[in-house]
């Protein structure tokens, strides 16, 4: 095994001293490399290992900002340019159209056109459309874009009344069931096993799910999950079809592998057959979509399924400053669970920057106004608005920040709103540019235009573009921002390609529209943490970082809490240079200041105590050779020590027996149900009197407090509380649960 950091073909000077292009911040229109070896230029040693590992199973564990997309696109391009991979034999899959479009764009810039880069759904739909007439007969059923109306109709058929929010949640439950390959009859048990909180009684959701499927079949339509299910069914049942697909695609690359669902994994296995030319890329610490059925288990188990795999770890962070990376590493150092056991400790490659800023506000409007005021100052100082983002936990938080930015005169854009190339003004502008490219010689607007940028400015001036932006932040400003983005794109295109014509630009715009590869719009981005995944900005404002919002109130289990921590980690690692974190003590002006900063910041923000952490189990970046492929047999894993008990409020390790019983620090706030505690206290006194023993022999005060804080609903939950052993559960369990359920007078009437 080569020592970590030792280059294979290039000397250290090519990557250690400015030769490496920032992994996630590349030139908009780079020159196509003139040879296969030139594709490798500027890659760091670990990225180069990825790019040159062209055979057999390869697993890339890539931390945030370490250039994973760069590594895998250069891997594909190097293989194609070196003649080792046929472009049409490669299928690269990821999870969003934007990511697939970006991958296609990068491959085109590297001289590897012809490679299929698609989402799982897009690739499956294409195959299903092609093979359906042969495998099933007739035309493929119509694909419905949104299932809400079908769910509503199914609910009506079942006489189940659902409001709009419940309809959305029920649709999400149906989607989760299908990607985890759960049929309606098994829904209730599967949902309970996964710890899901169904919007209604699980039996009702199961009934609704069955009615939805019946309704779909009756109307002859399919949904997005059916695309995967049907493709799996065809490939399983028709070996001739499966062999035809496998003959077409011989090399597979899967990005964001930690987000693969069981159904997508099954489809991938059918695509592969008995082959192992597979490269997967992911980071278990960025698993934030488990509510959709995603699981990091496939990534974490990859070496077990493929003992001969080459594993490459990317930990050099080219995105963020050491200060931002330090906070990100600190967040994960306090994490628990399997994903945390495999975390990667990032090493920043950027110059030093400012420390993260932590700000507490009296209420949410004040927090929004404070963020808008700071953003206004940044924009006035020369920071482009497009390089600033405000990230929040839920979309409902957006409106307050929209208003605050509008009041401050700062342009903004909503992430997840209408796609750029679908905007009416962009469609009209593209039509005008296409007409000018075709008939420009007869257009007087172009008489004085001497180059491509001036031609574009002249054409778009007829569509409402002006050299200076309009005042305000309404629809007029948004239209101008869209046109200004096209003007900026034309300037970059002309600078990168000397002699480019208006026709060349139209072709570029068509390709970008097909890939949904939008140009940068000059406005502050407002986005939820989930929709910010895969993006980055110079300055990030993480707002609402308070208990109840981060983690969100309905995150109850350890697994759910840890996913909330990972979500905050994703938010932190979106920032390149400056990071602002804030929270409000009250929701509205004059409200009771009962909120507190997120437990995830304990020990990380100034004055919040000491963080309990541990070293990363993932180790430094480098390469591990698989057994049987020139490497040595993997070491037998040692038994790991028991995970230390941690405070469920702040996350600190607990050592005091009383604190461990409460599962929180003595000085952390309690959410105890006072009424339950008083009834338990009274009940305990009666039990102690009957048995003639001290009260603490029934249950200690700490155990009563722990029961009153968790308010268990069944014996399984009660048994989890330290101090409630099997003997006491058998003797007192029924009465304690009755008290927790609110039954009055339990155990107080003298009957034993």
């Amino acid at each position: 095994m080569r020592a970590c950091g030792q280059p294979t073909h290039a000397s250290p000077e090519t990557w250690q001293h400015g030769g490496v292009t920032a992994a996630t911040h590349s030139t908009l229109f780079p020159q196509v490399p003139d040879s296969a070896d030139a594709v490798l230029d500027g890659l760091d040693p670990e990225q180069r290992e990825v790019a040159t590992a062209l055979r057999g199973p390869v697993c890339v564990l890539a931390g945030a900002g370490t250039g994973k997309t760069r590594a895998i696109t250069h891997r594909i391009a190097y293989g194609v340019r070196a003649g080792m991979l046929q472009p049409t034999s490669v299928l690269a899959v990821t999870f969003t159209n934007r990511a697939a479009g970006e991958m296609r764009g990068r491959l085109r810039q590297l001289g590897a056109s012809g490679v299929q880069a698609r989402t799982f759904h897009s690739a499956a739909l294409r195959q299903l459309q092609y093979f359906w007439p042969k495998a099933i007969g007739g035309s493929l059923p119509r694909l419905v874009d949104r299932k809400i109306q079908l769910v509503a109709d199914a609910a009506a058929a079942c006489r189940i009344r659902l409001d709009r929010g419940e309809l959305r949640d029920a649709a999400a439950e149906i989607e989760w069931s299908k990607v985890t390959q759960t049929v309606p009859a098994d829904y209730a048990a599967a949902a309970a096993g996964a710890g899901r909180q169904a919007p209604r009684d699980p039996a009702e959701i199961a009934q609704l799910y069955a009615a939805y499927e019946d309704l779909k079949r009756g109307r002859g339509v399919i949904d997005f999950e059916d695309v995967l299910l049907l493709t799996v069914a065809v490939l399983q049942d028709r070996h001739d079809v499966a062999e035809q697909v496998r003959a077409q695609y011989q090399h597979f690359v899967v990005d964001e592998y930690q987000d693969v669902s069981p159904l997508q994994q099954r489809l991938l296995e059918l695509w592969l057959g008995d082959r192992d030319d597979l490269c997967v890329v992911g980071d278990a610490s960025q698993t934030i979509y488990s509510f959709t059925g995603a699981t990091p288990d496939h990534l974490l188990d990859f070496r077990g399924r493929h003992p001969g795999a080459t594993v490459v770890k990317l930990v050099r962070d080219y995105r963020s400053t050491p200060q931002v990376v330090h906070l990100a590493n600190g967040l994960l150092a306090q994490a628990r669970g399997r994903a945390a056991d495999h975390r990667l400790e990032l090493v920043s490659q950027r110059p030093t920057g400012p420390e993260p800023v932590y700000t507490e506000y009296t209420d949410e409007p004040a927090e929004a106004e404070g963020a808008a005021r700071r953003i206004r100052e940044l924009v006035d100082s020369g920071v482009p608005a497009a390089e600033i983002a405000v990230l929040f936990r839920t979309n409902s938080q957006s409106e307050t920040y929209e208003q605050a930015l509008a009041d401050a005169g700062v342009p903004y854009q909503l992430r997840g709103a209408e796609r750029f190339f679908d905007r009416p003004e962009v469609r009209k502008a593209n039509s005008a540019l296409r007409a000018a490219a075709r008939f420009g010689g007869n257009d007087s607007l172009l008489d004085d235009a001497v180059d491509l940028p001036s031609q574009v400015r002249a054409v778009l001036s007829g569509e409402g573009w002006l050299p200076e932006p309009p005042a305000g932040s309404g629809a007029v400003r948004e239209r101008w921002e869209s046109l200004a983005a096209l003007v900026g794109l034309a300037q970059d295109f002309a600078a990168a390609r000397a002699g480019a014509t208006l026709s060349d630009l139209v072709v570029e715009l068509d390709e970008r529209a097909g890939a949904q590869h939008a140009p940068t719009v000059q406005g502050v981005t407002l986005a939820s943490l989930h929709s910010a995944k895969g993006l980055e900005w110079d300055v990030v404002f993480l707002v609402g970082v308070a208990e109840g919002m981060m983690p969100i109130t309905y995150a109850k289990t350890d697994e759910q809490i840890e996913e909330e921590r990972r979500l905050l980690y994703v938010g932190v690692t979106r920032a390149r240079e400056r990071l602002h974190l804030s929270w409000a003590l009250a929701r509205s002006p004059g409200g009771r200041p009962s909120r507190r900063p997120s437990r995830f910041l304990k020990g990380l923000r100034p004055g919040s105590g000491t963080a309990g952490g541990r070293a990363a189990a993932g180790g430094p970046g480098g390469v591990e050779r698989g057994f049987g492929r020139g490497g040595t047999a993997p070491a037998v894993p040692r038994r790991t020590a028991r995970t230390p008990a941690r405070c469920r409020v702040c996350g600190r390790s607990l050592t005091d027996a009383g604190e461990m019983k409460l599962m929180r620090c003595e000085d952390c706030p309690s959410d105890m149900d006072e009424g339950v505690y008083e009834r338990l206290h009274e009940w305990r006194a009666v039990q102690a009197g009957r048995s003639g023993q001290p009260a603490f022999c029934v249950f200690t005060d700490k155990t009563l407090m722990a029961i009153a804080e968790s308010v268990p609903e069944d014996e399984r939950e009660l048994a989890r509380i330290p101090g409630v052993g099997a003997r006491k559960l058998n003797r007192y369990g029924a009465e304690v649960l009755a008290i927790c359920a609110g039954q009055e007078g339990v155990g107080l009437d003298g009957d034993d």
Side-chain angles (χ1 to χ4, degrees), residues 72-73 76 80 86-94 99-105 107-108 112-120 122-127 245 248-255 271:
I72 59 175
T73 52
I76 296 170
V80 169
Q86 290 300 314
T88 54
S89 74
V90 180
L91 177 59
V93 288
T94 186
E102 180 185 358
M103 194 177 293
R104 286 194 294 271
L107 289 169
R108 183 161 54 93
S113 298
V115 173
Q116 291 294 314
R118 297 181 173 275
T119 64
F120 270 99
S122 169
L125 180 59
R126 193 177 189 198
Q127 293 173 20
V245 171
Q248 170 70 54
Y249 296 118
Q250 294 150 31
H251 308 277
F252 296 86
V253 177
V254 184
D255 194 12
W271 282 339

Side-chain angles (χ1 to χ4, degrees), residues 425-508:
E425 65 271 19
V426 174
R427 290 202 302 269
K428 284 187 63 180
N430 281 345
S431 296
L433 290 170
R434 183 171 286 103
R438 188 177 302 170
F439 309 112
N442 300 320
D443 193 337
S444 59
L445 276 174
L446 303 181
D447 288 347
D448 299 325
V450 296
D451 56 15
L452 177 59
S454 60
Q455 290 175 340
V456 171
R457 288 193 293 268
V459 172
L460 296 188
S461 65
E463 301 299 320
W465 179 81
L466 297 169
E468 294 297 325
S473 59
V476 174
R477 176 63 181 246
E478 289 178 5
R479 285 194 295 272
W480 184 90
E481 294 285 358
S482 297
L483 299 178
L486 292 174
V487 171
L489 181 67
Q491 293 169 339
D492 290 332
F493 188 68
R497 303 192 182 177
T501 66
L502 202 52
S503 296
D504 295 330
L505 178 65
V506 168
V507 171
E508 174 69 22

Side-chain angles (χ1 to χ4, degrees), residues 354-366:
E355 292 290 339
V357 176
Y358 301 86
T359 309
E360 184 174 275
Y361 292 93
T362 55
D363 51 63
E364 287 184 4

Side-chain angles (χ1 to χ4, degrees), residues 480-647:
W480 184 90
E481 294 285 358
S482 297
L483 299 178
L486 292 174
V487 171
L489 181 67
Q491 293 169 339
D492 290 332
F493 188 68
R497 303 192 182 177
T501 66
L502 202 52
S503 296
D504 295 330
L505 178 65
V506 168
V507 171
E508 174 69 22
L509 289 173
D510 286 343
E511 290 179 347
R512 282 173 166 262
Q516 286 301 327
H517 185 190
T520 301
V521 176
Q522 287 302 318
V524 172
T525 299
L526 296 177
S528 70
L529 286 165
H530 282 100
S531 64
K533 177 79 165 59
L535 303 175
E536 58 188 78
W537 297 268
D538 284 346
V539 187
V540 168
F541 286 77
L542 285 172
V543 299
V545 190
E547 285 292 306
M549 193 60 74
M550 181 58 65
I552 199 75
T553 305
Y554 51 75
K556 301 292 187 183
T557 67
D558 290 344
E559 292 83 0
Q560 291 167 340
I561 295 295
E562 288 306 314
E563 181 143 339
E564 293 289 299
R565 187 193 307 276
R566 293 194 296 270
L567 191 56
L568 182 58
Y569 170 80
V570 166
V572 167
T573 55
R574 300 310 94 195
R576 296 193 195 106
E577 297 174 6
R578 303 186 193 186
L579 181 62
H580 296 256
L581 301 97
S582 63
W583 58 91
L585 297 177
R587 180 172 183 178
S588 55
R592 188 165 66 91
S594 58
R595 294 180 176 177
R596 58 184 184 275
S598 169
R599 71 190 72 174
F600 300 145
L601 300 181
K602 179 81 169 180
L604 299 176
R605 64 184 178 86
S608 63
T610 303
R614 53 200 172 106
V623 185
E624 298 174 10
R625 302 293 183 193
F627 181 53
R629 299 182 65 86
T632 57
V636 177
R638 293 179 296 176
R639 183 180 298 275
T640 56
R642 181 184 296 273
T643 303
R646 294 181 182 275
C647 174

Side-chain angles (χ1 to χ4, degrees), residues 372-385 388 408-411:
R373 185 168 57 251
R374 291 192 177 191
I375 291 170
R376 177 76 266 173
E377 293 169 356
L378 288 168
V379 172
D380 290 343
S381 70
V383 178
I388 304 173
V410 177

Side-chain angles (χ1 to χ4, degrees), residues 104-257:
R104 286 194 294 271
R106 292 199 191 195
L107 289 169
R108 183 161 54 93
Q109 292 164 357
L110 291 169
S113 298
V115 173
Q116 291 294 314
R118 297 181 173 275
T119 64
F120 270 99
H121 283 88
S122 169
L125 180 59
R126 193 177 189 198
Q127 293 173 20
L128 200 59
Q129 289 170 331
Y130 182 81
F131 289 111
W132 187 270
K134 174 182 178 180
I136 308 299
S139 300
L140 182 69
R142 180 175 63 86
L143 177 65
V144 293
D145 291 333
R146 299 176 71 249
K147 57 172 60 70
I148 289 292
Q149 187 56 54
L150 272 171
V151 175
D153 293 345
C158 296
R159 301 182 184 277
I160 299 174
R161 296 177 60 87
L162 300 175
D163 61 30
R164 187 173 183 81
E166 288 174 323
L167 276 173
R168 188 170 55 249
D169 291 342
E173 289 304 295
I174 291 173
E175 290 171 2
W176 173 82
S177 299
K178 298 180 78 165
V179 301
T180 56
Q181 303 175 83
T182 301
V183 297
D186 296 338
Y187 168 77
R196 294 186 72 81
Q197 293 181 321
R200 299 289 286 266
D201 182 271
E204 283 189 317
I205 297 297
Q207 180 188 7
L208 177 62
Y209 177 15
Y212 169 84
E213 292 296 307
D214 289 341
L215 196 61
K216 212 158 35 65
R217 280 190 292 270
R219 296 182 181 180
V221 297
I222 59 175
D223 60 24
F224 276 101
E225 292 71 44
D226 289 331
V227 171
L228 300 183
L229 285 163
L230 291 171
T231 305
V232 165
V234 168
L235 294 176
Q236 285 180 160
D237 296 344
R238 292 291 299 265
H239 296 294
D240 56 331
V241 172
E243 289 307 315
Q244 194 171 342
V245 171
R246 291 167 192 161
Q248 170 70 54
Y249 296 118
Q250 294 150 31
H251 308 277
F252 296 86
V253 177
V254 184
D255 194 12
E256 304 288 3
Y257 193 54

Side-chain angles (χ1 to χ4, degrees), residues 1-6 15 44-47 49-50 59-63 66 311-318 343-347 349 616-624:
M1 175 172 154
R2 187 168 25 255
C4 174
Q6 181 180 341
W15 59 271
D44 70 29
E46 292 78 37
Q47 292 171 345
E49 288 283 358
V50 175
C59 179
V60 184
L61 302 176
T66 58
V311 179
V312 185
K313 297 174 183 175
L314 304 183
V315 297
R316 303 175 198 267
D317 187 315
Y318 297 95
R343 72 183 180 86
L344 300 169
E345 185 145 7
L346 302 176
V347 181
Q349 308 296 297
V623 185
E624 298 174 10

